[in-house]
Amino acid sequence: MRNLPVPLGFLLTTLTTELGLCPDGFVSFYDPQVSMYVCIMFAMDMKRTWYEAKELCESHGGDLAYLDIGYLHYEVIDYILQQPAWRDEGFHIGCSDELEEGNWVHTDGRKVDIKTSHWLPGEPDGCTMDNYCCLYPPHFLYKSCVNDQRLYAMCMI
């Protein structure tokens, strides 16, 4: 039987999900509600636009983070708040309504429920310029942001 090459993204996702192992630069989070490990990278080297952040995440074999899995969002908020230098910083995450105003979807195409507690009250605000999701201090709940707003990237595999 011939050995076929395994795509890196598949291998990393499998290791992350089953063993809780993360590549260098990623932090392992375990969500007991869904019995799943997730690796998240907080790219604090420079601020980027949403598209630049998305490209960075893809270059690491992942995508911008989506946090509406179990308790993951709240674990990430706790982690950010434990980093004093990060408490006033925003992060791009992986959803937008750029294709259809008001129809928020993750970068993998799944629909985002805008009626959850993940969103800052009053968000998404419906502005046609604010088509990209970010986490913003002090609560780090979902907020609609403009693409060219320079924030740090939050990637996941």
Side-chain angles (χ1 to χ4, degrees), residues 78-91:
D78 286 343
Y79 184 81
I80 291 169
L81 293 175
Q82 291 173 23
Q83 318 303 318
W86 299 4
R87 291 181 188 158
D88 295 325
E89 301 296 344
F91 297 87

Side-chain angles (χ1 to χ4, degrees), residues 48-154:
R48 298 167 169 84
T49 67
W50 191 85
Y51 275 107
E52 291 168 344
K54 186 175 184 310
E55 288 174 8
L56 172 76
C57 296
E58 290 169 351
S59 76
H60 286 277
D63 208 341
L64 284 168
Y66 53 90
L67 304 174
D68 57 348
I69 305 168
Y71 298 119
L72 179 61
H73 185 189
Y74 305 105
E75 290 182 33
V76 167
I77 291 170
D78 286 343
Y79 184 81
I80 291 169
L81 293 175
Q82 291 173 23
Q83 318 303 318
W86 299 4
R87 291 181 188 158
D88 295 325
E89 301 296 344
F91 297 87
H92 287 297
I93 60 173
C95 61
S96 78
D97 74 341
E98 71 176 340
L99 296 179
E100 180 184 345
E101 183 62 31
N103 183 29
W104 288 84
V105 294
H106 289 286
T107 52
D108 68 2
R110 290 180 305 107
K111 186 158 179 60
V112 175
D113 184 354
I114 62 172
K115 293 181 171 66
T116 66
S117 61
H118 295 286
W119 288 88
L120 189 66
E123 294 284 345
D125 65 7
C127 179
T128 58
M129 296 291 293
D130 297 348
N131 293 323
Y132 306 92
C133 199
C134 66
L135 299 182
Y136 221 71
H139 304 294
F140 296 99
L141 296 174
Y142 287 22
K143 177 178 176 15
S144 53
C145 294
V146 295
N147 172 53
D148 59 358
Q149 187 169 359
R150 300 188 85 70
L151 303 172
Y152 291 110
M154 186 183 299

